[in-house]
Structure formats: C-alpha cells, structure tokens
Amino acid sequence: MERLLFLTGNAGKLAEASHFFAPLGYQVEQFLIDGKVPEIIEPQADGLRAVATAKIQQARNLLETEGINAAILVEDAGLFIDTLNGFPGVYSASVLQQIGLSGILQLLAQKDNRGAEFRACAAIFVNGEIHFGEGICRGLISLDEQGENGFGYDPIFCPEGGSKGTTFGQMNRAEKEQFSHRAKALESVKIELDALGR
Ligand code: ITT
C-alpha cells in the first residue's frame, strides 16, 4: 500500500477519501505534524484550484522541513447556490459556522429556484508533480434538513440522479460516492495518475 497524506482538518472528507482510495492500493492518512493538523493559510478569495495549489505548496514545505517523502493529497470543495450567485462558494466552511443550515434555508425561503452545485478540486503531489482533478455535483437545496449522515451541507442537498427529495444526509457513504463532487474529483486525479503509470 502506498501512503497518501491528506492535508485536511475535516474528518468527513478524510473518511470519504479513504473509502475511495483503499481499493486502489493507497492508504490515506491524515497529514499531521507532531500529531496535529498544521496551520495552513487558505487564500479565500481565489478559486478552488488556487486554494488547492496553495495548500500543496505549504504541505510540501512542511514535509521537506521534516525530511518526509510521501505523496500529498489536498482537496477543496464548496457549495455554490444558483440564486445566490454562487454563495457560499469558497466561503462554505465559515458561512456554515456563522449562519448554519437554517440560515441557508432562510436565505432561500422566498426563492423558487433552489438549484445548487457542490464543486471540488483535488490535487495530488507525487514524484515532484502536481496533478489536479475537478468534480461537480448538481442538485437542489431541500426545503428542510433531512438525515444525519455525512457532514457540512449534506442534510440540505439533494443530488441530481438520486431519489427525488433525498439528501446526501440520508445516504450512506457508498450511495453518496455515486454522485459526489469529491468522488468525481478524486476519480479524475486517479485517471491522470493511471495514464502516467503511477
Ligand atoms: P479542509 O481542512 O480540508 O480545508 P474544510 O472543512 O475547510 O476542510 P473545504 O474548504 O473543502 O473543507 O470545504 C468547505 C466546506 O464546504 C466544508 O466545511 C463543508 O461545510 C462544505 N462541504 C464540502 N464538501 C462537502 C460535502 O461533500 N458535503 C457537505 N458539505 C460539504
């Protein structure tokens, strides 16, 4: 099994990536320095790819300092709501903390258009090169919170292609993986790695 260090503080993302990569012969481990997730600066105003690149660069510097040689995975995602011009987008993590799922539902209370999408950008640093993969999952914001699985916005997001009105929060990990932006982004990185014979 090849080690893949995933730089993330989000346990839900770590669990999904581990589930995805295990059958491919990668052991995903959380990227920790002295037992802690290192402080990473995320350039918030830029797109997901810029955020992923900045994280990879900081992770590389940390590994170099520690004298560790391993593949690195980072992944950035967000929820982009059509009628809110893509809000919360790259601010998804802090907006969730500030206004919660109920705040998002309130913002949409008078809106007919409940279209939204999750976007993810994954980046893997291996053998001196960065490889990117992107994934989008279209769907609708539900009328209320449903289900307790997953994390973040899962209880209010119904993916296109799923049973009508079923949120990610009502799906198990394998069901979510059939639709998820994260699985698509990781899949596209994997295809690139396979093509390079890695
Ligand atoms: P990192 O340490 O990996 O950066 P994070 O929680 O900051 O973890 P992101 O910036 O990638 O993660 O994602 C921003 C937020 O978007 C995240 O905190 C969730 O609230 C939400 N999000 C991303 N992917 C999601 C998913 O699959 N389901 C539900 N919410 C998701």
Side-chain angles (χ1 to χ4, degrees), residues 164-185:
K164 196 162 178 269
T166 304
T167 67
F168 270 158
Q170 294 169 297
M171 296 182 187
N172 63 32
R173 209 166 273 153
E175 287 166 338
K176 178 177 173 184
E177 201 173 286
Q178 288 181 283
F179 308 106
S180 101
H181 49 301
R182 178 157 305 100
K184 287 178 189 152

Side-chain angles (χ1 to χ4, degrees), residues 99-154:
I99 66 170
L101 297 178
S102 57
I104 296 285
L105 292 176
Q106 267 172 38
L107 288 175
L108 292 185
Q110 311 301 331
K111 312 272 190 195
D112 294 330
N113 175 4
R114 303 186 73 86
E117 63 192 35
F118 272 121
R119 292 184 205 152
C121 174
I124 285 190
F125 175 75
V126 61
N127 296 338
E129 285 170 8
I130 305 182
H131 305 280
F132 293 97
E134 278 162 28
I136 292 182
C137 175
R138 284 289 310 164
L140 293 172
I141 303 298
S142 57
L143 293 171
D144 47 22
E145 293 177 36
Q146 296 287 343
E148 269 137 42
N149 295 336
F151 63 96
Y153 297 90
D154 283 341

Side-chain angles (χ1 to χ4, degrees), residues 43-95:
Q44 286 240 314
D46 299 325
L48 294 177
R49 195 180 261 241
V51 177
T53 306
K55 281 174 152 179
I56 285 272
Q57 267 151 7
Q58 293 173 70
R60 283 177 64 184
N61 293 343
L62 286 167
L63 283 195
E64 226 169 83
T65 315
E66 297 288 316
I68 301 168
N69 186 14
I72 307 168
L73 169 66
V74 303
E75 186 260 282
D76 255 274
L79 177 68
F80 297 74
I81 299 176
D82 298 351
T83 191
L84 303 179
N85 295 321
F87 179 86
V90 294
Y91 306 105
S92 293
S94 53
V95 167

